[in-house]
Amino acid sequence: MDTNAVLDIGLDALLVAAKLAAPILITALVVGFGISLLQSITQIQEVTLSFVPKALAVGIALLVAGHWMISEIVTFTTDLFERIPQLLGG
């Protein structure tokens, strides 16, 4: 196993992690921005106000994108298992 293979696996792992985190992080970002905008317009400065809408939005995002996320990680894991003989030099 050479350094190029390790770097390739590491890069693939980082890309898969970024793809899996993106729906949840973008949802939380958009909902948080919307709540912050609403708070600044209405001058309600309650810190805990944004928690429940963010939690609900992230839960909905997980329900919507969960199947895709699981299939992506299963595909990545299957590809890693298929690379084992090549990585061992066989």
Side-chain angles (χ1 to χ4, degrees):
M1 187 154 134
D2 60 344
T3 57
N4 289 335
V6 173
L7 290 175
D8 189 38
I9 291 171
L11 179 65
D12 288 345
L14 287 174
L15 288 174
V16 168
K19 282 175 27 179
L20 293 178
I24 297 168
L25 292 176
I26 290 172
T27 302
L29 177 72
V30 168
V31 171
F33 179 74
I35 296 295
S36 296
L37 188 64
L38 182 70
Q39 283 180 332
S40 66
I41 291 171
T42 61
Q43 295 183 353
I44 299 173
Q45 298 302 322
E46 180 63 34
V47 177
T48 60
L49 183 64
S50 67
F51 178 72
V52 174
K54 270 191 206 177
L56 289 174
V58 166
I60 291 170
L62 281 172
L63 285 174
V64 170
H67 186 292
W68 170 78
M69 293 168 80
I70 289 174
S71 66
E72 282 291 318
I73 197 69
V74 166
T75 302
F76 176 70
T77 306
T78 305
D79 289 344
L80 281 180
F81 278 121
E82 289 174 356
R83 284 189 197 175
I84 288 175
Q86 175 191 4
L87 294 173
L88 294 177

